[in-house]
Amino acid sequence: MFAADAACQKYLADCHWPDGFMCPRCRYRSSYEIVKARRWQCTRCRYQVSLTAGTILHNTKTPLTVWFWAAYLMTTDKRGVSALLLERQLGVRRYETAWMLLHKLRQAMVNVARERLHGEVEVDEAWIGGAQAGLRGSRQLRGRKAALIVVAVEKRGRATGRARMAVIPDFRSGTLIAFLRQNVAPGSLVYTDALNSFAGLEEAGFRHVSRIQPTRAELHRGAKSAVPLSFAPRWSHSQLIMSTRFKKAMSRRRLGW
């Protein structure tokens, strides 16, 4: 069905206009297709409509056949498809291209009206982008090249449940509480570290437990984690998600996609 870009464009047009083309400017129903530009042009007012505008395909230089193959492989393999496997199967030249395809397809599959996290939730912030010389402490924002993120992880028994992440501009209380109000249901039990910015969680409608987590060296020496959601001596739920391997694999550019 989708052996060529023209067939893919025809499918996108049918999805965009299930009842036939209608010009968004003059409401005229007659048009012709500009295949190479991936656009349709109204025969009355000459207004051009892009088939990919407003979608994850916007301004893509990758052939639509590759996009369609990626969507097919991703949605038919119940084990999930890695970017490395997708790179090999699609024959794309760069790993980054395969990673971008997967990331955007996953982004499109997110349900905007999804249920917020609830129950017991662990929240923490971290820098994504690796260590940087010349900075004074982890709270310094000026001159920092890494991206600051906040993550909330739901507890499901002894396992990690759903997670929510966001890139944030600063450590301020308003920024962190706004993220929690958007992603965590009111009344949930929220575990955090002793950062002062989390002090207003009770007033925001959450049950709040603040703990001072031992350092990694202290955990190696046998100290117990202060966060009750931890299911292993060294790791809490949020620490697992924000592990060193994850941080090294990400960058500010990729987080923005």
Side-chain angles (χ1 to χ4, degrees), residues 211-227 232-235 239:
R211 302 291 178 91
I212 298 176
Q213 181 75 351
T215 64
R216 183 172 298 181
E218 292 171 336
L219 292 172
H220 273 297
R221 290 195 295 266
K224 293 184 178 180
S225 171
V227 182
R234 288 183 53 198
W235 298 103
Q239 284 173 327

Side-chain angles (χ1 to χ4, degrees), residues 3-4 7 13 23 46 61 71 78 84 92 95 113 127-128 131 148-149 178 197 213 231:
C23 178
R46 307 298 180 185
K61 301 298 188 294
K78 64 181 181 181
L84 184 60
V92 295
Y95 172 84
W127 292 104
I128 301 296
L148 177 62
I149 72 162
S197 299
Q213 181 75 351
F231 54 85

Side-chain angles (χ1 to χ4, degrees), residues 64-78:
L64 294 181
T65 51
V66 175
W67 276 99
F68 278 51
W69 264 116
Y72 172 78
L73 294 171
M74 180 180 178
T75 55
T76 54
D77 192 333
K78 64 181 181 181

Side-chain angles (χ1 to χ4, degrees), residues 168-182 196-201 204:
I168 55 176
D170 51 55
F171 295 97
R172 294 179 181 175
S173 178
T175 302
L176 296 172
I177 292 178
F179 166 81
L180 288 172
R181 282 176 170 162
Q182 183 179 359
N196 290 335
S197 299
F198 290 117
L201 290 185

Side-chain angles (χ1 to χ4, degrees), residues 106-241:
R106 289 169 180 153
Q107 190 178 48
M109 294 167 64
V110 173
N111 180 10
V112 179
R114 60 190 174 180
E115 182 185 18
R116 286 180 287 183
L117 307 184
H118 57 82
E120 296 186 9
V121 179
E122 183 178 340
V123 180
D124 202 359
E125 78 290 336
W127 292 104
I128 301 296
Q132 184 179 340
L135 298 179
R136 299 179 179 179
S138 62
R139 303 302 179 196
Q140 181 178 335
L141 294 172
R142 180 174 296 179
R144 179 86 60 171
K145 295 181 179 179
L148 177 62
I149 72 162
V150 59
V151 56
V153 186
E154 190 179 59
K155 177 186 176 184
R156 289 183 178 174
R158 293 180 60 82
T160 297
R162 299 172 299 157
R164 299 285 185 269
M165 289 188 194
V167 180
I168 55 176
D170 51 55
F171 295 97
R172 294 179 181 175
S173 178
T175 302
L176 296 172
I177 292 178
F179 166 81
L180 288 172
R181 282 176 170 162
Q182 183 179 359
N183 295 281
V184 181
S188 299
L189 180 57
V190 177
Y191 295 94
T192 72
D193 56 21
L195 182 67
N196 290 335
S197 299
F198 290 117
L201 290 185
E202 294 281 353
E203 291 78 4
F206 302 99
R207 293 178 294 152
H208 181 211
V209 175
S210 175
R211 302 291 178 91
I212 298 176
Q213 181 75 351
T215 64
R216 183 172 298 181
E218 292 171 336
L219 292 172
H220 273 297
R221 290 195 295 266
K224 293 184 178 180
S225 171
V227 182
L229 298 188
S230 301
F231 54 85
R234 288 183 53 198
W235 298 103
S236 68
H237 284 66
S238 59
Q239 284 173 327
L240 280 172
I241 287 182

